[in-house]
Amino acid sequence: MLGLRARSPLPEADESTLLRYYQYLATRLALPFKARHCPEAEPGERVVTVVAILDPREWDRGTHLGLLCAVRLGGVESIAPLFELEVGDDHPNFQLLEDYWYWFWNWRNRTRDRWVL
């Protein structure tokens, strides 16, 4: 997915790898799907419907939140970072979301000073 060989270290989260991850997930995520949204800056969680994954070239705008999704809650559409979404381990998107979360969460701050989309 990120063009890695076996046992290669994970690459830093930057504009190039984020775009490759977006292209990978855009063809594999089963949309729409329900997910728990657990905002990093807010307590609690809510169940949202994820309706789209957004192209980072158009949506990051320097926020460094990684891949963003269009989500719907009670008929209102908004934007949520993909790393804030969770599904059960029996969900078809579980492993895709877990792999992305692990990579982005652990490698996102390594290039924050240089990250420009």
Side-chain angles (χ1 to χ4, degrees):
M1 169 262 326
L2 289 172
L4 303 176
R5 296 183 189 273
R7 300 184 186 260
S8 294
L10 290 174
E12 294 177 342
D14 62 20
E15 62 273 4
S16 173
T17 53
L18 194 68
L19 180 59
R20 287 198 320 246
Y21 222 127
Y22 160 74
Q23 292 165 336
Y24 174 79
L25 291 176
T27 63
R28 287 168 177 79
L29 283 176
L31 294 169
F33 66 94
K34 294 215 180 284
R36 289 181 307 280
H37 180 211
C38 306
E40 184 179 27
E42 299 174 27
E45 66 179 50
R46 53 190 154 262
V47 176
V48 298
T49 301
V50 180
V51 295
I53 185 168
L54 305 175
D55 188 325
R57 294 170 292 190
E58 299 174 24
W59 287 95
D60 184 83
R61 303 289 192 248
T63 63
H64 304 292
L65 294 174
L67 296 177
L68 301 175
C69 297
V71 299
R72 195 172 298 132
L73 175 64
V76 176
E77 196 166 296
S78 62
I79 305 296
L82 184 62
F83 76 87
E84 292 181 347
L85 301 175
E86 299 176 4
V87 295
D89 60 4
D90 60 340
H91 193 281
N93 290 332
F94 174 77
Q95 198 60 58
L96 293 169
L97 295 176
E98 285 295 300
D99 290 346
Y100 171 77
W101 175 89
Y102 178 82
W103 169 73
F104 183 72
W105 187 259
N106 290 293
W107 277 265
R108 71 181 176 156
N109 292 323
R110 296 178 184 221
T111 56
R112 183 167 275 183
D113 294 345
R114 300 178 310 207
W115 188 352
V116 178
L117 285 177

